[in-house]
Amino acid sequence: CVGCVWVVLGTALVHVRRNRAGSWQTMRALIDSASQISAITTACVDQLEIKYARWTSPVTGLGGVPIVNVQGRTELSVQPRFAVEPSLAIQAWVLPSITADLPRNNLPCTMKDRFSSLALADPTFHISAPIDILLSGDVYPSVMNGRKVIVDKSLPAAFSSIFG
């Protein structure tokens, strides 16, 4: 697309531990430095068989708007898919959903091809798909390692993380 400006939010396929002592399962996470809370969807909690504490106090979102249907809070263990360290302990709110599928629309396959030389944190970043987990600003410094990669000035920059 000539003249198009692409903004691609940072997603990663991460390993999350099932029911405390169980195996690791791959889930799709959104890494958001501007978010003040980490979250996990109810469907993901059910799939992973993770227990959570019920929560009845109000929780607010963007602009102080109340977040409805907060199910509770839980602790997660999250790690990269191809390494056993680091393992991050995440406090997450359990919500029915986190955001709409990302990206909003599928991106051209040619965009993905331009990043083929990189070990991508989310190899299917260009395909619209659900987000299972939101990793917030408090874990952002533990996730991102600061390397910026410019493949082409007409494409979004890639940023290196513990996930790829």
Side-chain angles (χ1 to χ4, degrees):
C1 173
V2 177
C4 288
V5 176
W6 301 100
V7 175
V8 180
L9 299 179
T11 58
L13 299 182
V14 301
H15 275 173
V16 182
R17 186 179 297 279
R18 290 178 60 96
N19 61 28
R20 297 232 186 251
S23 61
W24 295 88
Q25 187 158 345
T26 304
M27 295 293 164
R28 190 163 188 243
L30 171 62
I31 303 165
D32 184 1
S33 64
S35 178
Q36 293 184 6
I37 64 165
S38 290
I40 184 169
T41 64
T42 307
C44 187
V45 164
D46 292 344
Q47 184 176 350
L48 294 169
E49 301 170 347
I50 296 173
K51 300 215 183 295
Y52 61 92
R54 294 279 178 200
W55 192 265
T56 56
S57 297
V59 177
T60 58
L62 188 63
V65 175
I67 299 173
V68 295
N69 298 326
V70 173
Q71 306 295 306
R73 261 184 100 169
T74 190
E75 290 185 21
L76 308 173
S77 293
V78 176
Q79 71 182 33
R81 290 178 298 147
F82 302 112
V84 294
E85 290 184 353
S87 182
L88 306 173
I90 309 292
Q91 293 281 326
W93 295 98
V94 181
L95 307 173
S97 67
I98 294 170
T99 185
D101 290 359
L102 292 177
R104 299 283 183 195
N105 299 302
N106 289 344
L107 302 174
C109 288
T110 54
M111 180 182 286
K112 181 190 181 240
D113 295 343
R114 299 294 301 275
F115 291 93
S116 63
S117 64
L118 302 176
L120 297 174
D122 183 356
T124 58
F125 74 92
H126 64 296
I127 298 171
S128 184
I131 295 296
D132 303 304
I133 297 170
L134 170 66
L135 298 177
S136 66
D138 65 329
V139 296
Y140 189 83
S142 300
V143 169
M144 303 305 290
N145 62 21
R147 202 173 113 233
K148 178 179 176 180
V149 179
I150 303 288
V151 173
D152 185 304
K153 288 189 188 266
S154 67
L155 297 173
F159 293 88
S160 184
S161 75
I162 63 170
F163 304 120

